[in-house]
Amino acid sequence: MEKFLIRHLSAIEAEKNELIEKYYNDPSPEKKEVIELLEGYIHSIEKLLHGGVAGSACPFVMVGSQVEVQDLDSGEVLDLRLVNPFQGEPSKGEISYISPMGRALLLKKLGEEVEVKAPGGIFRYKIIGLKGPS
């Protein structure tokens, strides 16, 4: 897991500026939010590396994680995978980590509840399954 995290951290840091330039050219509150999200994510991965990685367990949702969530209103269960914004197929349950759902899930732990503010409204989910990136 340690080698994976080092490669993963390097890739996220390398893609950060390209992602910001491509999707958030102009100054905006959303651009600031995404920059803070990425910096927090990078810090969390660094902290995980410096604290020692125990086995292959994933303590929180990372880019590449497979996440099972339950809609707290309808009870519907969704199986999602967080991916880089430059890839992924929503029809296969792959969602960008900068999408409203991706942002809400990133860095959350198994059992946590999240609120997703999306164009269609506000949705609440509970993380009921989490498998780390492979």
Side-chain angles (χ1 to χ4, degrees), residues 61-83:
V61 177
M62 298 171 49
V63 177
S65 291
Q66 197 72 33
V67 186
E68 189 176 28
V69 297
Q70 183 173 32
D71 186 309
L72 294 175
D73 295 320
S74 71
E76 179 183 9
V77 174
L78 303 172
D79 192 23
L80 307 169
R81 183 170 173 259
L82 261 65
V83 296

Side-chain angles (χ1 to χ4, degrees), residues 40-41 48 50 64 70 84 88 91 97-98 103:
Y41 183 73
L48 186 61
H50 293 301
Q70 183 173 32
N84 181 303
S91 63
Y97 66 84
I98 62 168
R103 286 189 221 179

Side-chain angles (χ1 to χ4, degrees), residues 82-94:
L82 261 65
V83 296
N84 181 303
F86 305 121
Q87 63 188 51
E89 295 181 46
S91 63
K92 293 183 177 181
E94 296 177 334

Side-chain angles (χ1 to χ4, degrees), residues 5-20:
L5 288 176
I6 292 168
R7 286 192 313 271
H8 179 68
L9 183 60
S10 177
I12 292 292
E13 287 176 329
E15 294 167 353
K16 177 183 165 188
N17 291 334
E18 179 185 357
L19 183 141
I20 297 299

